[in-house]
Amino acid sequence: MKVLSVTSEVFPLVKTGGLADVTGSLPKALEPLGVETTTLLPGYPTVMKQLANPLPLLVFDDLLGERATLLHVQMNGLNLLVLDAPTLYDRPGGPYVDDAGNDHPDNWKRFAALSLAGAEIAAGALPGWQPDLVQTHDWQSALTSVYMREMGLSVPSVLTIHNIAFQGQFSAGLLTALGLRTDLYSTDCLEYFGDISFLKGGLQMADAITTVSPTYAREILTPRFGMGMDGVLNERVSVLRGIVNGIDLDIWDPATDPHLPSTYTSSSLRRKRENRAVLTERFGIDGNDDGPIFSAVSRLTWQKGMDMLAETADEVIWSGGKVIVFGRGDPAIERQLLEVASRHPGRMAVHIGYDEPTAHLIHGGSDAIVQPSRFEPCGLTQLYALRYGCVPVVSRTGGLSETIIDANDAAMSARVATGFQFHPVTTDGLRMALRRAIQAYENPKQWARLQNQGMKAKFSWERSAQQYAAVYASLTKKSANAPADGGRRMAF
Ligand code: ADP
Ligand code: GLC
């Protein structure tokens, strides 16, 4: 089966979060199951720089008014189609924001063009290659299903929700510029609280909807977690399912990780100490005593509960622990964390930044990873933590609730506990969980057991890839039996 995956990020070419990890690793896990994935992504400058001998396949003279070339390249085990459209993507800043952190003002066009290119490819724009199914991710590629429906394609599409908080909400006045009929401004398609939402359009038009954990699939049906989309999702619940993310076991492997000064396995966990020494030096933390290092590698946002970490860090330090925070995000939360760190020189360090080697080193050298998210569709950091013998301290929400087993008495005596969970998700809840973790750390045998149990936990893609393949198979069988419905070709 041939699948076209349309995405705004893919590791290792461009990454702002877990979406890239998933789109970069799922194709490799699907391959042994007979699913060949081709990934379409925008040609941001960082992507263009990394392409070796790209092959131009096709020119779009007028993709929503812009000129674009489709390039083909194979790298890192991925089969890539890069949409090179300089007027849309060749600019400073990240995939979504400029250097000052503001959204690019034409994001609507940048991601609609990506989606439209995806739909054109699904329609057969590439001579000799047409996908059997299109996989889209989040709002940035959700419009693909809308364009496909408008073209009358019978190729099925799947929309995976990685985070429903981001919805691609824009003015309804843009419909014509998007090349879409103005009557798609309706509650059963794009209309969303007086605007249009790319995500909503995708939720209405995709043949199947998945999200990245079964718990989050249930949560987003409620007003609290659905963030305005719970109504649509309840209508479409029969095609919604949760499939938990896996991790790339080759990239996140403490036994072979090139970013670690000292590699290790569960039987040589003592070697984490060498990583700890490098880590403490790098972050200016006093590494001479044995106090536990609690780290966070995260977007520094309200979603991730990083304000709650700032409010509890004092107590961790007074109890003999250390705190390392690495990430970037909301300036107010960055400031709050930096202010706490300034009161604890040598015991707490906050570095504002984002880079892959440092993220690996932190997992390799820390004792615990703190992830007190207010909502978390899946979360990958806690899975990396498990594999690296770091004990996760997490809130009980979304994917965190089903990937970490709380170290309560029953789970400890059954030898299945892997971390500490707290609920309700409040600062006091986090404080209690941190206290429990500090107490457990004081008993080296108990701590080692937690580390070992975590390292044994299985979060490869194998099972989840089978679930994606099953969704794909059910849709392609259906579409093989159904005649194409009479839509219209796009004029653009
Ligand atoms: P989200 O996608 O919501 O940010 P996930 O836990 O799914 O959360 O994925 C986060 C990804 O981003 C992980 O791969 C994590 O290692 C990475 N990450 C987060 N912060 C940083 C950072 N400061 N530097 C490098 N990688 C980071
Ligand atoms: C999103 C979610 C995160 C998830 C990731 C990959 O960014 O916030 O929980 O792990 O996507 O699916």
Side-chain angles (χ1 to χ4, degrees):
M1 182 190 310
K2 299 189 292 285
V3 169
L4 176 70
S5 167
V6 188
T7 178
S8 57
E9 341 185 341
V10 60
F11 182 84
L13 284 125
V14 54
K15 165 169 168 177
T16 71
L19 168 63
D21 288 354
V22 172
T23 56
S25 54
L26 178 58
K28 292 180 230 168
L30 284 168
E31 207 179 303
L33 306 176
V35 177
E36 285 168 33
T37 308
T38 299
T39 303
L40 172 67
L41 77 157
Y44 314 111
T46 173
V47 170
M48 297 304 291
K49 259 190 266 159
Q50 296 173 69
L51 302 183
N53 302 319
L55 182 71
L57 293 183
L58 182 76
V59 173
F60 295 101
D61 281 320
D62 184 6
L63 194 64
L64 301 179
E66 311 298 329
R67 190 180 157 85
T69 308
L70 200 61
L71 306 171
H72 178 234
V73 73
Q74 273 176 323
M75 54 189 292
N76 298 91
L78 298 167
N79 197 26
L80 302 173
L81 293 172
V82 177
L83 189 65
D84 179 21
T87 53
L88 297 174
Y89 308 125
D90 184 11
R91 60 181 72 174
Y96 317 120
V97 296
D98 63 20
D99 278 334
N102 300 314
D103 284 358
H104 295 298
D106 54 349
N107 273 347
W108 63 274
K109 192 194 252 191
R110 299 170 74 239
F111 296 107
L114 174 73
S115 303
L116 180 53
E120 285 296 327
I121 296 166
L126 284 177
W129 193 85
Q130 199 172 3
D132 301 307
L133 180 138
V134 176
Q135 164 76 63
T136 63
H137 301 272
D138 278 350
W139 74 266
Q140 292 91 340
S141 54
L143 221 47
T144 312
S145 311
V146 176
Y147 285 124
M148 286 168 68
R149 192 61 74 92
E150 285 295 282
M151 291 172 181
L153 305 186
S154 58
V155 178
S157 65
V158 178
L159 169 56
T160 297
I161 304 166
H162 295 264
N163 191 337
I164 211 157
F166 304 109
Q167 305 183 336
Q169 189 171 349
F170 301 105
S171 157
L174 292 171
L175 271 172
T176 312
L178 289 167
L180 291 167
R181 287 182 286 132
T182 47
D183 53 359
L184 295 185
Y185 179 71
S186 62
T187 48
D188 60 0
C189 191
L190 286 159
E191 190 279 336
Y192 190 61
F193 297 105
D195 284 328
I196 54 171
S197 156
F198 286 14
L199 183 69
K200 182 176 170 194
L203 292 176
Q204 293 287 24
M205 295 302 156
D207 297 283
I209 302 166
T210 69
T211 188
V212 289
S213 68
T215 306
Y216 194 59
R218 286 191 296 275
E219 287 174 344
I220 54 180
L221 295 171
T222 66
R224 177 156 168 230
F225 291 98
M227 300 195 173
M229 294 293 173
D230 42 297
V232 186
L233 285 164
N234 275 290
E235 277 168 31
R236 301 225 63 209
V237 68
S238 62
V239 300
L240 169 68
R241 81 178 275 190
I243 305 177
V244 71
N245 287 333
I247 61 171
D248 190 319
L249 297 179
D250 296 329
I251 290 170
W252 290 91
D253 182 357
T256 58
D257 193 329
H259 303 303
L260 297 188
S262 179
T263 54
Y264 59 92
T265 63
S266 54
S267 47
S268 55
L269 261 173
R270 228 174 292 118
R271 296 176 62 182
K272 264 181 89 93
R273 293 204 67 82
E274 291 151 43
N275 298 324
R276 176 191 170 104
V278 176
L279 177 67
T280 49
E281 198 189 321
R282 171 89 71 84
F283 278 81
I285 294 279
D286 174 11
N288 293 329
D289 61 62
D290 273 344
I293 301 180
F294 289 83
S295 295
V297 179
S298 177
R299 291 188 281 120
L300 305 180
T301 61
W302 183 87
Q303 175 199 338
K304 300 290 180 182
M306 286 295 135
D307 52 323
M308 293 192 275
L309 177 58
E311 285 163 15
T312 48
D314 286 321
E315 184 169 327
V316 171
I317 288 154
W318 293 330
S319 315
K322 326 262 172 73
V323 178
I324 288 178
V325 179
F326 184 55
R328 68 161 79 103
D330 179 343
I333 295 180
E334 288 179 0
R335 275 196 302 275
Q336 188 185 2
L337 285 160
L338 285 164
E339 189 276 318
V340 184
S342 71
R343 289 192 269 114
H344 301 289
R347 308 211 52 97
M348 173 166 175
V350 175
H351 287 198
I352 305 302
Y354 193 97
D355 81 75
E356 206 66 21
T358 310
H360 284 244
L361 175 64
I362 292 175
H363 286 83
S366 304
D367 299 294
I369 288 281
V370 191
Q371 208 172 338
S373 308
R374 288 191 168 87
F375 64 96
E376 195 61 73
C378 178
L380 295 172
T381 311
Q382 83 280 9
L383 304 181
Y384 301 146
L386 290 177
R387 192 122 207 270
Y388 279 60
C390 282
V391 177
V393 180
V394 303
S395 49
R396 187 174 303 147
T397 186
L400 299 175
S401 56
E402 62 197 65
T403 53
I404 302 302
I405 302 174
D406 181 63
N408 54 45
D409 291 344
M412 278 312 280
S413 56
R415 297 185 179 254
V416 293
T418 56
F420 297 89
Q421 281 191 339
F422 63 95
H423 198 268
V425 185
T426 58
T427 304
D428 279 340
L430 172 60
R431 193 171 286 123
M432 292 305 292
L434 289 166
R435 271 184 209 163
R436 290 173 62 213
I438 289 167
Q439 231 171 28
Y441 185 84
E442 281 160 9
N443 177 342
K445 249 200 193 148
Q446 195 179 1
W447 192 261
R449 214 196 295 162
L450 276 172
Q451 287 178 299
N452 276 297
Q453 282 156 196
M455 288 180 92
K456 270 193 240 138
K458 293 208 166 33
F459 287 103
S460 79
W461 266 110
E462 209 175 309
R463 228 182 102 227
S464 301
Q466 279 164 6
Q467 294 172 355
Y468 274 95
V471 171
Y472 295 169
S474 72
L475 295 177
T476 47
K477 252 183 240 141
K478 241 190 253 163
S479 80
N481 297 333
D485 53 20
R488 60 187 195 107
R489 285 251 344 134
M490 293 297 303
F492 65 89

